[in-house]
């Protein structure tokens, strides 16, 4: 990270320049047994492709609102950083009626709510390795896993992102990009993220600032990394203890 970083996208760019090969997000789903590890470079590539999808295919512009009806998941983290890269507002668990684009997980209730959006609708199957819906995506939705692979590996925003513009809405609170960075930096030490190499295990959902801070922004702002766990309640205490040891976790948030 650099002192001049003003947006979450800046933090990712600095992490990529500093050490592209280090782990950034390691994801576990204790309902399926999935584990996937994304280096800074791999994560940044997904972000670039998703940002290109937003900007070029979905025609979003800075200030537009993207409702994210998604759980704590590595693909959700990608969407949050892609929104920051384009300069659109990521509205976590937001009202699809008020959104220009909606992104939904595969849960029937999320898909039904997402249909209220009059703009483009994207659905994520959240299958291991970013797999597609089978045999087809839900009616009225484009399949993220089909749309994103063909996007460019390098992203350049059409307009510079204003750090003071709205960037994130979570639990009814709006943050600018600069506020996300400043708050994540200020709270990192309180989470136990004391510098590069610190590794936090988070089982918190993404629908609160605390969950986003522990599960994404704090590690990114401090040069650390996250072991992001979905359905952690299904893992026994022994499994969690083994994971903490195997992943060299230094602090937990659950």
């Amino acid at each position: 990270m650099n002192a001049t970083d003003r947006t979450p996208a800046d933090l990712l760019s600095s992490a990529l320049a500093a050490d592209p090969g280090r782990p950034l997000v390691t994801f576990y789903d204790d309902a399926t047994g999935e584990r996937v590890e994304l280096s800074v470079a791999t994560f940044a590539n997904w972000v670039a492709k998703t940002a290109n999808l937003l900007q070029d295919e979905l025609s979003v512009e800075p200030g537009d609102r993207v409702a994210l009806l998604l759980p704590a998941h590595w693909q959700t983290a990608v969407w949050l950083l892609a929104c920051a890269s384009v300069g659109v507002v990521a509205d976590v668990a937001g009202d699809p009626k008020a959104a220009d684009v909606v992104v939904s997980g595969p849960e029937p209730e999320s898909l039904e709510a997402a249909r209220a959006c009059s703009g483009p609708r994207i659905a994520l199957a959240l299958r291991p390795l970013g797999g597609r819906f089978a045999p087809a995506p839900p009616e009225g939705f484009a399949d993220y896993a089909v749309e994103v692979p063909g996007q460019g590996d390098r992203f350049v925003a059409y307009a510079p992102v204003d750090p003071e513009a709205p960037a994130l809405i979570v639990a009814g609170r709006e943050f600018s990009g600069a506020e996300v960075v400043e708050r994540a930096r200020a709270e990192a030490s309180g989470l136990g993220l004391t510098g590069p190499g610190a590794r936090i295990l988070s089982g918190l959902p993404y629908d609160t600032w605390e969950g986003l801070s522990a599960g994404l922004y704090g590690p990114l702002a401090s040069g650390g990394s996250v072991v992001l766990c979905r359905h952690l309640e299904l893992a026994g205490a022994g499994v969690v203890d083994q994971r903490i040891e195997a992943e060299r976790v230094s602090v937990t948030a659950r």
Side-chain angles (χ1 to χ4, degrees):
M1 63 178 180
N2 294 319
T4 57
D5 291 339
R6 297 293 310 283
T7 71
D10 290 340
L11 293 176
L12 181 58
S13 294
S14 292
L16 188 61
D19 187 358
R22 72 172 175 85
L24 180 61
V25 178
T26 303
F27 175 74
Y28 282 86
D29 188 333
D30 284 294
T32 65
E34 177 186 4
R35 178 191 182 276
V36 61
E37 182 170 284
L38 289 84
S39 67
V40 176
T42 301
F43 184 82
N45 182 254
W46 277 91
V47 170
K49 285 179 175 291
T50 305
N52 281 316
L53 175 67
L54 279 167
Q55 181 173 263
D56 295 336
E57 301 296 331
L58 304 180
S59 300
V60 300
E61 298 178 351
D64 285 351
R65 182 176 297 193
V66 177
L68 300 179
L69 309 186
L70 298 168
H73 192 280
W74 68 266
Q75 291 185 322
T76 311
V78 165
W79 273 93
L80 287 162
L81 266 293
C83 288
S85 299
V86 179
V88 299
V89 182
D91 191 356
V92 179
D95 181 2
K97 290 182 182 178
D100 298 284
V101 175
V102 67
V103 184
S104 175
E107 298 81 6
E109 60 272 19
S110 294
L111 292 167
E112 184 59 32
R115 296 183 192 280
C117 179
S118 60
R121 304 174 195 138
I122 307 295
L124 279 66
L126 301 181
R127 298 179 64 195
L129 303 177
R132 302 179 178 191
F133 281 94
E139 184 178 356
F141 291 82
D143 188 337
Y144 174 64
V146 173
E147 301 298 327
V148 79
Q151 302 298 320
D153 294 327
R154 182 172 178 268
F155 174 75
V156 178
Y158 292 155
V161 175
D162 180 359
E164 303 302 331
L168 174 71
I169 300 173
V170 60
R173 170 82 184 272
E174 183 179 281
F175 299 86
S176 69
E179 287 173 329
V180 171
V181 172
E182 290 164 7
R183 187 165 179 179
R185 281 175 170 159
E187 296 179 2
S189 60
L191 288 170
L193 295 166
T194 54
R199 197 151 162 82
I200 185 170
L201 181 146
S202 177
L204 300 178
Y206 266 3
D207 58 0
T208 65
W209 168 258
E210 290 74 20
L212 291 175
S213 181
L216 178 60
Y217 296 125
L220 195 57
S222 63
S225 61
V226 61
V227 179
L228 185 63
C229 300
R230 187 182 182 202
H231 298 127
L232 189 62
E233 71 279 359
L234 299 179
V239 171
V240 175
D241 290 342
Q242 291 173 8
R243 185 173 304 165
I244 289 170
E245 181 178 359
E247 298 289 355
R248 300 180 181 179
V249 168
S250 50
V251 63
T252 63
R254 44 188 169 132

